[in-house]
mmCIF file of all heavy atoms in Angstrom:
data_model
loop_
_atom_site.group_PDB
_atom_site.id
_atom_site.type_symbol
_atom_site.label_atom_id
_atom_site.label_comp_id
_atom_site.label_asym_id
_atom_site.label_seq_id
_atom_site.Cartn_x
_atom_site.Cartn_y
_atom_site.Cartn_z
ATOM 1 N N LEU A 58 1.557 5.296 9.827
ATOM 2 C CA LEU A 58 1.250 4.893 11.209
ATOM 3 C C LEU A 58 2.490 4.875 12.093
ATOM 4 O O LEU A 58 2.463 5.324 13.230
ATOM 5 C CB LEU A 58 0.535 3.538 11.224
ATOM 6 C CG LEU A 58 -0.889 3.573 10.705
ATOM 7 C CD1 LEU A 58 -1.432 2.143 10.573
ATOM 8 C CD2 LEU A 58 -1.791 4.413 11.548
ATOM 9 N N VAL A 59 3.588 4.339 11.580
ATOM 10 C CA VAL A 59 4.848 4.324 12.333
ATOM 11 C C VAL A 59 5.386 5.717 12.540
ATOM 12 O O VAL A 59 5.834 6.083 13.653
ATOM 13 C CB VAL A 59 5.908 3.408 11.642
ATOM 14 C CG1 VAL A 59 7.250 3.539 12.316
ATOM 15 C CG2 VAL A 59 5.408 1.950 11.696
ATOM 16 N N GLU A 60 5.365 6.596 11.533
ATOM 17 C CA GLU A 60 5.818 7.961 11.661
ATOM 18 C C GLU A 60 4.995 8.665 12.736
ATOM 19 O O GLU A 60 5.537 9.369 13.621
ATOM 20 C CB GLU A 60 5.725 8.662 10.363
ATOM 21 C CG GLU A 60 6.729 8.283 9.360
ATOM 22 C CD GLU A 60 6.567 8.954 7.989
ATOM 23 O OE1 GLU A 60 5.422 9.354 7.665
ATOM 24 O OE2 GLU A 60 7.538 8.995 7.255
ATOM 25 N N ARG A 61 3.692 8.485 12.706
ATOM 26 C CA ARG A 61 2.806 9.148 13.692
ATOM 27 C C ARG A 61 3.056 8.599 15.090
ATOM 28 O O ARG A 61 3.104 9.362 16.036
ATOM 29 C CB ARG A 61 1.352 8.945 13.271
ATOM 30 C CG ARG A 61 0.429 9.710 14.166
ATOM 31 C CD ARG A 61 -1.043 9.598 13.735
ATOM 32 N NE ARG A 61 -1.201 10.135 12.375
ATOM 33 C CZ ARG A 61 -1.990 9.590 11.432
ATOM 34 N NH1 ARG A 61 -2.743 8.570 11.732
ATOM 35 N NH2 ARG A 61 -2.093 10.150 10.257
ATOM 36 N N ALA A 62 3.246 7.300 15.203
ATOM 37 C CA ALA A 62 3.510 6.703 16.526
ATOM 38 C C ALA A 62 4.823 7.218 17.094
ATOM 39 O O ALA A 62 4.910 7.540 18.272
ATOM 40 C CB ALA A 62 3.555 5.185 16.417
ATOM 41 N N ALA A 63 5.852 7.391 16.258
ATOM 42 C CA ALA A 63 7.147 7.901 16.671
ATOM 43 C C ALA A 63 7.003 9.367 17.181
ATOM 44 O O ALA A 63 7.475 9.713 18.240
ATOM 45 C CB ALA A 63 8.180 7.823 15.554
ATOM 46 N N ARG A 64 6.286 10.161 16.374
ATOM 47 C CA ARG A 64 6.064 11.533 16.766
ATOM 48 C C ARG A 64 5.325 11.632 18.091
ATOM 49 O O ARG A 64 5.690 12.349 19.018
ATOM 50 C CB ARG A 64 5.276 12.245 15.661
ATOM 51 C CG ARG A 64 5.032 13.733 15.963
ATOM 52 C CD ARG A 64 3.930 14.336 15.093
ATOM 53 N NE ARG A 64 2.657 13.686 15.461
ATOM 54 C CZ ARG A 64 1.677 13.479 14.621
ATOM 55 N NH1 ARG A 64 1.792 13.914 13.380
ATOM 56 N NH2 ARG A 64 0.567 12.889 14.996
ATOM 57 N N ASP A 65 4.247 10.869 18.253
ATOM 58 C CA ASP A 65 3.426 10.902 19.459
ATOM 59 C C ASP A 65 4.170 10.429 20.712
ATOM 60 O O ASP A 65 3.995 10.902 21.777
ATOM 61 C CB ASP A 65 2.142 10.064 19.294
ATOM 62 C CG ASP A 65 1.193 10.647 18.257
ATOM 63 O OD1 ASP A 65 1.424 11.804 17.829
ATOM 64 O OD2 ASP A 65 0.236 9.916 17.910
ATOM 65 N N ALA A 66 5.073 9.429 20.475
ATOM 66 C CA ALA A 66 5.833 8.873 21.593
ATOM 67 C C ALA A 66 7.187 9.591 21.835
ATOM 68 O O ALA A 66 7.890 9.295 22.790
ATOM 69 C CB ALA A 66 6.110 7.369 21.363
ATOM 70 N N GLY A 67 7.522 10.537 20.951
ATOM 71 C CA GLY A 67 8.810 11.250 21.095
ATOM 72 C C GLY A 67 9.985 10.355 20.777
ATOM 73 O O GLY A 67 11.065 10.579 21.286
ATOM 74 N N VAL A 68 9.790 9.351 19.958
ATOM 75 C CA VAL A 68 10.879 8.427 19.583
ATOM 76 C C VAL A 68 11.538 8.974 18.345
ATOM 77 O O VAL A 68 10.873 9.309 17.334
ATOM 78 C CB VAL A 68 10.311 7.004 19.289
ATOM 79 C CG1 VAL A 68 11.365 6.076 18.718
ATOM 80 C CG2 VAL A 68 9.678 6.400 20.556
ATOM 81 N N PRO A 69 12.897 9.123 18.334
ATOM 82 C CA PRO A 69 13.594 9.624 17.160
ATOM 83 C C PRO A 69 13.490 8.641 15.989
ATOM 84 O O PRO A 69 13.789 7.482 16.131
ATOM 85 C CB PRO A 69 15.056 9.799 17.647
ATOM 86 C CG PRO A 69 15.208 8.833 18.788
ATOM 87 C CD PRO A 69 13.804 8.735 19.408
ATOM 88 N N LEU A 70 13.005 9.161 14.861
ATOM 89 C CA LEU A 70 12.839 8.312 13.703
ATOM 90 C C LEU A 70 13.337 9.117 12.493
ATOM 91 O O LEU A 70 12.763 10.154 12.144
ATOM 92 C CB LEU A 70 11.368 7.931 13.498
ATOM 93 C CG LEU A 70 11.040 7.094 12.291
ATOM 94 C CD1 LEU A 70 11.620 5.658 12.458
ATOM 95 C CD2 LEU A 70 9.509 6.998 12.107
ATOM 96 N N ARG A 71 14.424 8.687 11.890
ATOM 97 C CA ARG A 71 14.921 9.388 10.701
ATOM 98 C C ARG A 71 14.176 8.962 9.462
ATOM 99 O O ARG A 71 13.903 9.809 8.605
ATOM 100 C CB ARG A 71 16.422 9.101 10.546
ATOM 101 C CG ARG A 71 17.265 9.827 11.533
ATOM 102 C CD ARG A 71 18.772 9.855 11.206
ATOM 103 N NE ARG A 71 19.365 8.536 11.113
ATOM 104 C CZ ARG A 71 19.818 7.835 12.127
ATOM 105 N NH1 ARG A 71 19.754 8.359 13.347
ATOM 106 N NH2 ARG A 71 20.365 6.634 12.010
ATOM 107 N N ARG A 72 13.828 7.700 9.354
ATOM 108 C CA ARG A 72 13.017 7.234 8.231
ATOM 109 C C ARG A 72 12.516 5.804 8.555
ATOM 110 O O ARG A 72 13.001 5.175 9.495
ATOM 111 C CB ARG A 72 13.791 7.244 6.936
ATOM 112 C CG ARG A 72 14.875 6.246 6.831
ATOM 113 C CD ARG A 72 15.669 6.404 5.550
ATOM 114 N NE ARG A 72 15.824 5.121 4.877
ATOM 115 C CZ ARG A 72 16.332 4.955 3.702
ATOM 116 N NH1 ARG A 72 16.726 5.993 3.034
ATOM 117 N NH2 ARG A 72 16.411 3.806 3.182
ATOM 118 N N VAL A 73 11.549 5.345 7.776
ATOM 119 C CA VAL A 73 11.056 4.016 7.866
ATOM 120 C C VAL A 73 10.749 3.470 6.511
ATOM 121 O O VAL A 73 10.167 4.221 5.663
ATOM 122 C CB VAL A 73 9.819 3.908 8.807
ATOM 123 C CG1 VAL A 73 8.659 4.723 8.313
ATOM 124 C CG2 VAL A 73 9.376 2.448 9.001
ATOM 125 N N PHE A 96 8.919 -4.001 8.362
ATOM 126 C CA PHE A 96 9.254 -2.641 8.676
ATOM 127 C C PHE A 96 10.758 -2.502 8.977
ATOM 128 O O PHE A 96 11.335 -3.371 9.669
ATOM 129 C CB PHE A 96 8.476 -2.157 9.918
ATOM 130 C CG PHE A 96 7.026 -2.034 9.689
ATOM 131 C CD1 PHE A 96 6.201 -3.134 9.819
ATOM 132 C CD2 PHE A 96 6.447 -0.820 9.317
ATOM 133 C CE1 PHE A 96 4.821 -3.033 9.620
ATOM 134 C CE2 PHE A 96 5.085 -0.716 9.104
ATOM 135 C CZ PHE A 96 4.256 -1.834 9.262
ATOM 136 N N ALA A 97 11.390 -1.458 8.471
ATOM 137 C CA ALA A 97 12.789 -1.205 8.732
ATOM 138 C C ALA A 97 12.951 0.279 9.127
ATOM 139 O O ALA A 97 13.266 1.127 8.287
ATOM 140 C CB ALA A 97 13.640 -1.525 7.505
ATOM 141 N N PRO A 98 12.725 0.578 10.419
ATOM 142 C CA PRO A 98 12.868 1.976 10.872
ATOM 143 C C PRO A 98 14.320 2.303 11.137
ATOM 144 O O PRO A 98 15.124 1.422 11.557
ATOM 145 C CB PRO A 98 12.078 2.008 12.166
ATOM 146 C CG PRO A 98 11.943 0.583 12.622
ATOM 147 C CD PRO A 98 12.147 -0.290 11.434
ATOM 148 N N THR A 99 14.735 3.505 10.876
ATOM 149 C CA THR A 99 16.100 3.983 11.094
ATOM 150 C C THR A 99 16.003 5.107 12.146
ATOM 151 O O THR A 99 15.223 6.021 11.958
ATOM 152 C CB THR A 99 16.731 4.518 9.839
ATOM 153 O OG1 THR A 99 16.756 3.502 8.825
ATOM 154 C CG2 THR A 99 18.146 4.966 10.045
ATOM 155 N N GLY A 100 16.753 4.994 13.203
ATOM 156 C CA GLY A 100 16.780 6.034 14.212
ATOM 157 C C GLY A 100 16.509 5.503 15.635
ATOM 158 O O GLY A 100 17.305 5.750 16.533
ATOM 159 N N PRO A 101 15.419 4.755 15.853
ATOM 160 C CA PRO A 101 15.131 4.336 17.195
ATOM 161 C C PRO A 101 15.979 3.162 17.579
ATOM 162 O O PRO A 101 16.564 2.484 16.734
ATOM 163 C CB PRO A 101 13.661 3.948 17.129
ATOM 164 C CG PRO A 101 13.399 3.593 15.764
ATOM 165 C CD PRO A 101 14.323 4.466 14.945
ATOM 166 N N THR A 102 16.104 2.913 18.909
ATOM 167 C CA THR A 102 16.700 1.702 19.389
ATOM 168 C C THR A 102 15.890 0.488 18.946
ATOM 169 O O THR A 102 14.718 0.628 18.460
ATOM 170 C CB THR A 102 16.742 1.672 20.925
ATOM 171 O OG1 THR A 102 15.375 1.666 21.443
ATOM 172 C CG2 THR A 102 17.483 2.914 21.461
ATOM 173 N N GLN A 103 16.427 -0.713 19.117
ATOM 174 C CA GLN A 103 15.686 -1.925 18.770
ATOM 175 C C GLN A 103 14.385 -1.978 19.514
ATOM 176 O O GLN A 103 13.317 -2.280 18.993
ATOM 177 C CB GLN A 103 16.532 -3.154 19.034
ATOM 178 C CG GLN A 103 15.859 -4.457 18.686
ATOM 179 C CD GLN A 103 15.691 -4.597 17.144
ATOM 180 O OE1 GLN A 103 16.490 -4.125 16.401
ATOM 181 N NE2 GLN A 103 14.625 -5.283 16.760
ATOM 182 N N GLU A 104 14.447 -1.653 20.809
ATOM 183 C CA GLU A 104 13.249 -1.681 21.653
ATOM 184 C C GLU A 104 12.241 -0.651 21.179
ATOM 185 O O GLU A 104 11.025 -0.927 21.065
ATOM 186 C CB GLU A 104 13.622 -1.400 23.103
ATOM 187 C CG GLU A 104 12.480 -1.420 24.068
ATOM 188 C CD GLU A 104 12.912 -1.122 25.481
ATOM 189 O OE1 GLU A 104 13.872 -1.751 25.942
ATOM 190 O OE2 GLU A 104 12.293 -0.267 26.138
ATOM 191 N N GLY A 105 12.693 0.539 20.836
ATOM 192 C CA GLY A 105 11.809 1.577 20.319
ATOM 193 C C GLY A 105 11.189 1.208 18.977
ATOM 194 O O GLY A 105 9.969 1.435 18.760
ATOM 195 N N ALA A 106 11.992 0.568 18.101
ATOM 196 C CA ALA A 106 11.483 0.196 16.778
ATOM 197 C C ALA A 106 10.393 -0.866 16.982
ATOM 198 O O ALA A 106 9.345 -0.821 16.323
ATOM 199 C CB ALA A 106 12.630 -0.346 15.951
ATOM 200 N N GLU A 107 10.612 -1.826 17.859
ATOM 201 C CA GLU A 107 9.642 -2.896 18.081
ATOM 202 C C GLU A 107 8.377 -2.338 18.671
ATOM 203 O O GLU A 107 7.307 -2.771 18.305
ATOM 204 C CB GLU A 107 10.221 -3.972 19.033
ATOM 205 C CG GLU A 107 11.297 -4.803 18.377
ATOM 206 C CD GLU A 107 11.997 -5.769 19.323
ATOM 207 O OE1 GLU A 107 11.624 -5.801 20.503
ATOM 208 O OE2 GLU A 107 12.957 -6.426 18.853
ATOM 209 N N ALA A 108 8.464 -1.331 19.528
ATOM 210 C CA ALA A 108 7.289 -0.691 20.072
ATOM 211 C C ALA A 108 6.477 0.068 18.975
ATOM 212 O O ALA A 108 5.249 -0.051 18.952
ATOM 213 C CB ALA A 108 7.648 0.289 21.200
ATOM 214 N N LEU A 109 7.201 0.740 18.087
ATOM 215 C CA LEU A 109 6.530 1.479 17.004
ATOM 216 C C LEU A 109 5.820 0.499 16.085
ATOM 217 O O LEU A 109 4.629 0.738 15.718
ATOM 218 C CB LEU A 109 7.479 2.317 16.232
ATOM 219 C CG LEU A 109 8.136 3.488 16.996
ATOM 220 C CD1 LEU A 109 9.211 4.135 16.072
ATOM 221 C CD2 LEU A 109 7.155 4.460 17.471
ATOM 222 N N VAL A 110 6.478 -0.533 15.689
ATOM 223 C CA VAL A 110 5.888 -1.512 14.769
ATOM 224 C C VAL A 110 4.787 -2.272 15.442
ATOM 225 O O VAL A 110 3.717 -2.491 14.894
ATOM 226 C CB VAL A 110 6.956 -2.448 14.185
ATOM 227 C CG1 VAL A 110 6.304 -3.593 13.398
ATOM 228 C CG2 VAL A 110 7.925 -1.698 13.295
ATOM 229 N N GLY A 111 4.948 -2.624 16.717
ATOM 230 C CA GLY A 111 3.909 -3.317 17.477
ATOM 231 C C GLY A 111 2.692 -2.450 17.576
ATOM 232 O O GLY A 111 1.551 -2.963 17.524
ATOM 233 N N ARG A 112 2.860 -1.154 17.728
ATOM 234 C CA ARG A 112 1.701 -0.296 17.783
ATOM 235 C C ARG A 112 0.920 -0.300 16.463
ATOM 236 O O ARG A 112 -0.282 -0.286 16.436
ATOM 237 C CB ARG A 112 2.180 1.162 18.074
ATOM 238 C CG ARG A 112 1.070 2.131 18.301
ATOM 239 C CD ARG A 112 1.557 3.452 18.863
ATOM 240 N NE ARG A 112 0.533 4.428 18.774
ATOM 241 C CZ ARG A 112 0.701 5.656 19.126
ATOM 242 N NH1 ARG A 112 1.863 6.048 19.645
ATOM 243 N NH2 ARG A 112 -0.241 6.540 19.043
ATOM 244 N N HIS A 113 1.633 -0.415 15.343
ATOM 245 C CA HIS A 113 0.997 -0.480 14.065
ATOM 246 C C HIS A 113 0.262 -1.796 13.914
ATOM 247 O O HIS A 113 -0.851 -1.850 13.387
ATOM 248 C CB HIS A 113 2.042 -0.398 12.922
ATOM 249 C CG HIS A 113 1.492 -0.798 11.589
ATOM 250 N ND1 HIS A 113 0.527 -0.117 10.941
ATOM 251 C CD2 HIS A 113 1.795 -1.887 10.806
ATOM 252 C CE1 HIS A 113 0.215 -0.739 9.809
ATOM 253 N NE2 HIS A 113 0.981 -1.813 9.691
ATOM 254 N N GLN A 114 0.819 -2.914 14.408
ATOM 255 C CA GLN A 114 0.197 -4.200 14.301
ATOM 256 C C GLN A 114 -1.081 -4.272 15.101
ATOM 257 O O GLN A 114 -1.979 -5.101 14.801
ATOM 258 C CB GLN A 114 1.175 -5.312 14.733
ATOM 259 C CG GLN A 114 2.319 -5.464 13.756
ATOM 260 C CD GLN A 114 3.380 -6.368 14.258
ATOM 261 O OE1 GLN A 114 3.532 -6.590 15.452
ATOM 262 N NE2 GLN A 114 4.149 -6.968 13.321
#
Side-chain angles (χ1 to χ4, degrees):
L58 290 172
V59 170
E60 288 174 337
R61 187 176 299 144
R64 182 196 65 211
D65 293 349
V68 173
L70 179 68
R71 287 195 298 277
R72 69 185 230 173
V73 60
F96 293 85
T99 302
T102 64
Q103 181 66 31
E104 181 180 311
E107 289 173 3
L109 295 176
V110 172
R112 185 168 168 185
H113 166 65
Q114 291 171 335

